[in-house]
Amino acid sequence: MTKSSFLSHYDAILRILDRAASWIVTASMAVMSTVLLLQVFFRYVINDSLAWGWDVPRVCFIWSVMFAIPLGIRYNAHVGIELLVDRFGDRAKRFVVSLNALLILILSGVIAYYAALLTGDTWDQLMPGIPLSVGVFYASLMIGQAHTCLHVGRILVTGNLPNEHWSES
């Protein structure tokens, strides 16, 4: 398998994962916003509160953040300071990008590993307001960081940050 063939297959897998992550982020933000509006309505209009009104938005917020991280890497949308790196030549820039990607890969891999352990350890504990496992917090961290590893792996393979030329089709 050639490098370009490998990258086209890899990109196809990433596109599927990114599309799923985008839907999860969108759905979790919609649910979070709706429940928060309901919580405000119940608290200030009906003078009562929803028992699950704090747990659902918390889960949705964490899931949206954890799944948005790899999307930020995909579109090179994370905040970065390039004041020094912009002065480097192409070879030095590529080295800095690769070193940064390697460090992110190691960190994200360690986080995903420990999140998997915590998911298993906390799966039998339920949240106070809803019958949902506390492990779903760690599951989102595990999945999001594993997805991040896939994006950072692509950067390591190519030596380039994603840009507008990264195939979108």
Side-chain angles (χ1 to χ4, degrees):
M1 181 180 273
T2 65
K3 186 175 179 180
S4 63
S5 175
F6 170 77
L7 279 178
S8 65
H9 285 82
Y10 198 83
D11 286 347
I13 292 168
L14 281 177
R15 273 193 300 280
I16 292 167
L17 293 173
D18 291 343
R19 195 167 293 124
S22 295
W23 280 102
I24 290 169
V25 169
T26 302
S28 63
M29 292 297 286
V31 169
M32 178 178 65
S33 299
T34 303
V35 171
L36 287 173
L37 285 171
L38 276 173
Q39 180 73 334
V40 168
F41 175 79
F42 269 76
R43 184 170 294 265
Y44 293 105
V45 175
I46 299 178
N47 204 22
D48 194 11
S49 92
L50 302 170
W52 45 270
W54 297 112
D55 289 333
V56 172
R58 187 178 318 137
V59 170
C60 290
F61 177 75
I62 290 172
W63 274 74
S64 64
V65 169
M66 292 303 123
F67 281 83
I69 291 169
L71 295 176
I73 291 173
R74 162 143 181 117
Y75 297 107
N76 198 20
H78 288 287
V79 175
I81 300 173
E82 299 174 346
L83 182 67
L84 180 63
V85 177
D86 280 347
R87 298 173 190 259
F88 293 168
D90 288 341
R91 193 170 169 195
K93 281 182 187 178
R94 188 171 290 229
F95 173 76
V96 170
V97 165
S98 295
L99 178 63
N100 188 39
L102 179 64
L103 294 173
I104 292 171
L105 181 67
I106 292 168
L107 179 64
S108 295
V110 168
I111 291 170
Y113 171 75
Y114 282 105
L117 295 178
L118 287 168
T119 300
D121 289 345
T122 60
W123 201 257
D124 59 344
Q125 301 171 21
L126 296 179
M127 289 183 211
I130 53 176
L132 187 64
S133 170
V134 173
V136 299
F137 292 118
Y138 299 111
S140 69
L141 181 60
M142 173 188 62
I143 296 166
Q145 290 303 296
H147 188 179
T148 297
C149 286
L150 293 174
H151 275 288
V152 175
R154 188 189 191 288
I155 294 169
L156 279 173
V157 168
T158 63
N160 295 317
L161 288 173
N163 58 30
E164 65 276 358
H165 301 296
W166 199 9
S167 62
E168 291 286 338
S169 57

